[in-house]
Amino acid sequence: MDPVDRSEIAFFDVETTVPKRGERFAILEFGSILVCPKKLTELQSYTTLVQPADLSLISTLSVRCNGISRNDVVLAPLFSDIADTVFDILHGRIWAGHNILRFDCARIREAFAEIGRQPPEPKGAIDSLALLTQRFGRRAGDMKMATLASYFGLGKQTHRSLDDVRMNLEVLKYCATVLFLESSLPDVLVDKSVSPSETTSLRRHLRASSSGVDNTVITPFTLPSIGENSVAQPDPFNMSFLRNEMASDNNLQLDTLMEEEEEENQPSDTVVVSANTSDHEGFLSPDAISLSNIRAVLVPFYHGSQLMRLKLLHGDSSPLQLYCSCLKIRFGISGKFLDNSGRRRLNFVVDLNSRLCSILEACDSSAQKVSVDSGSSSDWNTVVSPVKGFVNCPNARIHIPTEISGDAARYAIEVHQRESGGDTQKLIFSNPSAEELESLLKQGSVVDAFLSLEPYDYQQKAGVRLVAKKLVMHS
């Protein structure tokens, strides 16, 4: 193969450990195939197990996910040993894979950073999760590779790198064939083969293509250097802008399967409410909220970004923020997990009245629908727990946000106390400690909460998080 010719598409996949909160991912297997873009034939393949620097990262949950145990990798090469090969396979080529922009690309970048090397740079990317969601629709169910493979009768996904990339290519071929045939069929036949919503979507894409609208999904980009700052750029692959968003998100890993009540605490862009909040500016009481006006929309992560995030609104454009009075704390501060800066992640649980419960369930419903329609295959965590009808009173977890500035982090929360006469005074003026918050937010206490509702979707877990901006303790 001509070493100068980099026209092949590099399909690749990594299998990793399933980290607990505060741990990092470790690559356990890398697999790739180089594919001819004109014939979609496999030209070359490469796969290897990878020994992580710390074998203890391979947990029981990790083995259940991909079957790779410590014994399997104990004699395998370290990533530093295969870095040259991986770089040669990926650098300067179009990358392809299922959900690679959210997961695999980030893991490659991290692995090269850990050994002090610049990562390979692609000249384009095809994320089949986004591509098939857009073009093929959800007729096969969720967009997980296992579901798509089952839909086309391609067998069971093994969750091994080389098998998965080959399955990915076959799924793309099948989907492309179906779409090609449908584009040539009379409308009446297509309408019988797919649902009305899928037909509408398909016709819209076909009309756009025939009218000359550029719907290309191959996006040129440059992989950012490890040391560059998180500056907003119109670059769909540049994940650096997510660093602060994700810095306190690493606790939302798949170990939530074993402890579902714990969710991660994502920093918020919203400024902490000032001490003068008697008018509750920007925060709505439950009685002022119309359930029919609650809606979820997709907005860019930053101006010009092609990556989108969910946002909850009340009405046309107002961010949905709640002022909830007289919430009774069921469980006080919990903070057994640490963020990246070593600070405890703090949250507490409050009981919900029926009105607030209905509002949060409406938020869940709206956000989940938009999330699914946008192609997310993540498991949805409801904000209300347990659901209505159970013996226990419905409750929800409120998170204390962590604000990151450079290498420093603080709890971005104001705590006031309401006197018997109705006046309030600030109890903690700046940088509250976990111990101070723990001493105030005790079981049985009553608190007024100014809350931001923040949808998240990270590592196959999604939902709406309640983030406290200001708390007013009752005497």
Side-chain angles (χ1 to χ4, degrees):
M1 187 180 301
D2 184 355
V4 180
D5 181 14
R6 313 293 287 182
S7 62
E8 307 88 4
I9 302 173
F11 280 78
F12 75 96
D13 176 75
V14 295
E15 295 298 327
T16 70
T17 57
V18 179
K20 299 177 182 177
R21 288 181 174 86
E23 290 183 349
R24 59 179 177 81
F25 286 93
I27 292 179
L28 300 178
E29 188 176 45
F30 174 86
S32 70
I33 57 174
L34 296 184
V35 173
C36 172
K38 296 181 178 180
K39 299 180 180 180
L40 295 184
T41 53
E42 181 180 322
L43 303 175
Q44 177 181 313
S45 67
Y46 172 79
T47 186
T48 180
L49 290 167
V50 181
Q51 179 187 160
D54 182 1
L55 287 174
S56 68
L57 293 175
I58 304 177
S59 63
T60 302
L61 183 58
S62 174
V63 176
R64 287 208 306 266
C65 286
N66 52 42
I68 301 175
S69 67
R70 297 180 187 180
N71 289 337
D72 293 328
V73 299
V74 68
L75 298 178
L78 298 170
F79 186 81
S80 57
D81 298 324
I82 65 165
D84 287 338
T85 302
V86 173
F87 189 93
D88 182 64
I89 290 170
L90 298 179
H91 186 66
R93 288 191 169 99
I94 293 173
W95 294 2
H98 202 68
N99 199 33
I100 59 169
L101 291 182
R102 285 190 176 189
F103 187 79
D104 302 81
C105 294
R107 304 290 82 80
I108 291 294
R109 186 179 184 279
E110 291 165 359
F112 275 90
E114 287 172 5
I115 62 174
R117 290 186 51 172
Q118 291 297 314
E121 294 182 357
K123 64 180 179 183
I126 304 172
D127 192 322
S128 58
L129 175 59
L131 170 64
L132 297 182
T133 300
Q134 179 191 34
R135 301 295 177 88
F136 193 69
R138 304 185 68 83
R139 68 185 83 179
D142 64 38
M143 301 307 293
K144 295 179 180 178
M145 182 56 60
T147 307
L148 290 164
S150 177
Y151 179 79
F152 289 113
L154 296 176
K156 186 177 180 180
Q157 184 183 13
T158 65
H159 291 287
R160 298 301 296 266
S161 293
L162 191 58
D163 289 343
D164 283 3
V165 292
R166 284 174 171 157
M167 178 174 279
N168 195 175
L169 177 60
E170 291 304 307
V171 164
L172 280 173
K173 289 179 181 179
Y174 274 78
C175 289
T177 301
V178 170
L179 292 174
F180 173 76
L181 291 175
E182 287 180 349
S183 68
S184 305
L185 291 173
D187 286 356
V188 64
L189 295 181
V190 176
D191 290 347
K192 291 180 179 179
S193 62
V194 297
S195 68
S197 61
E198 290 162 350
T199 303
T200 302
S201 175
L202 174 62
R203 295 303 181 195
R204 182 170 64 252
H205 290 309
L206 293 176
R207 285 197 300 270
S209 299
S210 62
S211 62
V213 177
D214 183 10
N215 279 329
T216 180
V217 295
I218 300 179
T219 308
F221 48 80
T222 302
L223 188 65
S225 62
I226 298 301
E228 75 177 282
N229 296 324
S230 302
V231 179
Q233 303 176 29
D235 181 351
F237 184 72
N238 185 348
M239 304 300 284
S240 61
F241 74 91
L242 286 174
R243 287 178 194 155
N244 283 343
E245 296 276 354
M246 294 170 59
S248 60
D249 261 4
N250 286 337
N251 68 311
L252 184 64
Q253 308 301 346
L254 294 183
D255 60 330
T256 51
L257 293 172
M258 300 175 288
E259 193 163 0
E260 293 180 355
E261 77 277 11
E262 293 292 345
E263 293 177 357
E264 88 282 25
N265 173 21
Q266 185 179 25
S268 168
D269 295 332
T270 308
V271 177
V272 176
V273 183
S274 67
N276 182 21
T277 54
S278 58
D279 57 353
H280 308 158
E281 182 177 357
F283 292 80
L284 299 176
S285 67
D287 291 338
I289 291 176
S290 169
L291 298 184
S292 61
N293 282 340
I294 295 175
R295 64 191 189 98
V297 296
L298 289 172
V299 298
F301 271 101
Y302 56 85
H303 180 69
S305 171
Q306 296 182 31
L307 288 176
M308 311 295 282
R309 63 183 176 89
L310 269 174
K311 186 175 184 179
L312 281 165
L313 304 178
H314 186 256
D316 292 334
S317 58
S318 301
L320 181 56
Q321 300 184 106
L322 295 175
Y323 165 68
C324 304
S325 62
C326 300
L327 296 176
K328 184 177 181 180
I329 298 178
R330 171 177 286 197
F331 299 115
I333 285 290
S334 171
K336 58 184 176 180
F337 298 108
L338 304 179
D339 62 19
N340 288 352
S341 63
R343 293 175 70 91
R344 294 167 61 198
R345 296 184 180 280
L346 305 183
N347 55 75
F348 59 99
V349 176
V350 298
D351 289 333
L352 304 175
N353 59 41
S354 59
R355 177 60 182 169
L356 186 52
C357 192
S358 297
I359 290 171
L360 296 180
E361 288 174 340
C363 293
D364 253 337
S365 176
S366 179
Q368 184 178 15
K369 183 180 185 304
V370 174
S371 175
V372 170
D373 290 345
S374 69
S376 174
S377 59
S378 298
D379 295 329
W380 191 266
N381 294 324
T382 58
V383 67
V384 177
S385 175
V387 296
K388 291 178 180 177
F390 280 68
V391 174
N392 292 328
C393 176
N395 58 76
R397 188 175 300 275
I398 296 177
H399 298 268
I400 306 295
T402 301
E403 184 177 81
I404 299 175
S405 178
D407 295 329
R410 69 182 187 90
Y411 297 118
I413 185 71
E414 289 187 6
V415 182
H416 296 241
Q417 180 162 327
R418 185 182 302 279
E419 303 297 342
S420 56
D423 296 331
T424 63
Q425 63 175 348
K426 184 178 288 188
L427 293 178
I428 303 176
F429 287 89
S430 64
N431 197 21
S433 68
E435 290 72 21
E436 288 176 308
L437 294 172
E438 197 167 13
S439 68
L440 293 170
L441 301 171
K442 293 182 177 180
Q443 183 177 4
S445 299
V446 178
V447 63
D448 299 342
F450 294 78
L451 303 175
S452 172
L453 288 85
E454 302 182 2
Y456 64 90
D457 190 337
Y458 183 62
Q459 292 307 309
Q460 297 300 303
K461 292 291 180 182
V464 177
R465 181 188 305 104
L466 299 180
V467 179
K469 298 303 176 183
K470 175 184 173 181
L471 299 173
V472 180
M473 308 297 303
H474 287 225
S475 299

